Amino acid sequence: RPLYASFPDKRAVVEGVLQQFIARRFFLIERVSRDAVSDEALLTRMVGALHAMATDEDALAMYRLLVAQATNLPALASAANRNGLMQGQAMLRQPLRNCGVRDPDMAARLLYDLAVLAPMHRLLVGMEDMPMDTVAIVHMVLQGMKGM
């Protein structure tokens, strides 16, 4: 009852928890990445942190909650996925530009898919998490996207 004194309904509770969870994660990722010596090193740290924070038990529990509520709150699940990608793009955009990528949003989406969504989905369906070589992933995306 005290919870609903602060929130009008279940959607508002889930949305508030989700927003705080995502904001805290991206704040930690940006802190981890501050002392990188080059833009490629910065990207590698950010991608590694994105992966680590998307595949830990708290993130998986939050994603399971979103999936469980997707039928009742479909716009919330969609918005959460869209907002995560948009924040990832915003964080990766400038370092990607600095590395010579002409379409940093496309490169950021590729990095996000490779480091966040694919590993998270593997874990959610009970598959093993594959070892993540963030140096190779960043290098591959940079090489493939330079000049594009």
Side-chain angles (χ1 to χ4, degrees):
R1 189 169 200 143
L3 185 64
Y4 285 106
S6 300
F7 296 95
D9 56 24
K10 183 178 180 178
R11 174 188 166 73
V13 172
V14 174
E15 193 171 74
V17 169
L18 182 64
Q19 287 173 349
Q20 286 297 314
F21 182 81
I22 291 171
R24 178 79 177 136
R25 293 289 169 127
F26 276 94
F27 173 77
L28 292 172
I29 291 167
E30 288 177 4
R31 272 188 53 198
V32 163
S33 305
R34 284 187 185 154
D35 61 347
V37 295
S38 69
D39 286 300
E40 191 165 341
L42 176 62
L43 286 168
T44 300
R45 282 184 179 214
M46 287 177 166
V47 169
L50 280 167
H51 172 75
M53 292 195 182
T55 57
D56 71 12
E57 284 305 316
D58 290 339
L60 295 172
M62 185 61 70
Y63 203 76
R64 284 183 187 104
L65 173 67
L66 274 176
V67 170
Q69 294 301 317
T71 302
N72 300 326
L73 306 169
L76 181 62
S78 177
N81 282 307
R82 188 174 48 257
N83 291 342
L85 174 60
M86 287 172 47
Q87 287 183 349
Q89 284 177 309
M91 184 176 68
L92 299 171
R93 187 176 290 123
Q94 193 57 52
L96 285 163
R97 255 191 210 116
N98 295 348
C99 288
V101 174
R102 285 192 193 154
D103 189 350
D105 288 334
M106 174 63 83
R109 281 192 300 270
L110 288 170
L111 289 169
Y112 194 81
D113 282 354
L114 291 168
V116 174
L117 294 180
M120 183 188 297
H121 290 149
R122 275 195 303 273
L123 291 170
L124 287 170
V125 298
M127 295 175 68
E128 262 186 63
D129 190 18
M130 294 172 52
M132 181 64 53
D133 185 346
T134 53
V135 172
I137 289 171
V138 168
H139 183 73
M140 177 183 67
V141 169
L142 286 177
Q143 292 306 307
M145 295 294 296
K146 279 190 180 175
M148 291 182 80

